[in-house]
Amino acid sequence: MSTGILDLDKAWNGLKAESAVQGNLDPVTLLAPWAEIEKRTREILERVKGRPGHIFNLGHGILPGTPVENVQRLVDFVHEYTASQV
């Protein structure tokens, strides 16, 4: 049975160079401790480094009960990480 989730690298390999890819962080991750959120986010950002067209986002919407602080910290982390890569 398919989960409907496509590996980021496989998705990119099947697209034209001018295509964008959005998403890739499981929203359940935002319920984890910060160290796990940062680890999974960093893994995604490392995989897309140097590839134009990636839009960091959750794979789905924010789940009920997700700590707002985790969402805010995630946004700050992605901005800081990507700014340091240019």
Side-chain angles (χ1 to χ4, degrees), residues 29-34 37 66-75:
T29 304
L30 292 175
L31 300 172
W34 175 251
I37 297 169
T66 298
V68 173
E69 301 79 21
N70 287 355
V71 177
Q72 292 169 330
R73 196 165 176 188
L74 173 67
V75 170

Side-chain angles (χ1 to χ4, degrees), residues 8-9 12 21 23-24 41-56 81-82:
L8 182 61
D9 296 317
W12 230 304
V21 174
N24 227 225
T41 302
R42 186 179 302 274
E43 288 172 356
I44 292 168
L45 294 173
E46 284 293 318
R47 290 173 72 188
V48 301
K49 192 186 301 184
R51 290 181 171 179
H54 180 253
I55 303 165
F56 187 90
Y81 185 93
T82 56

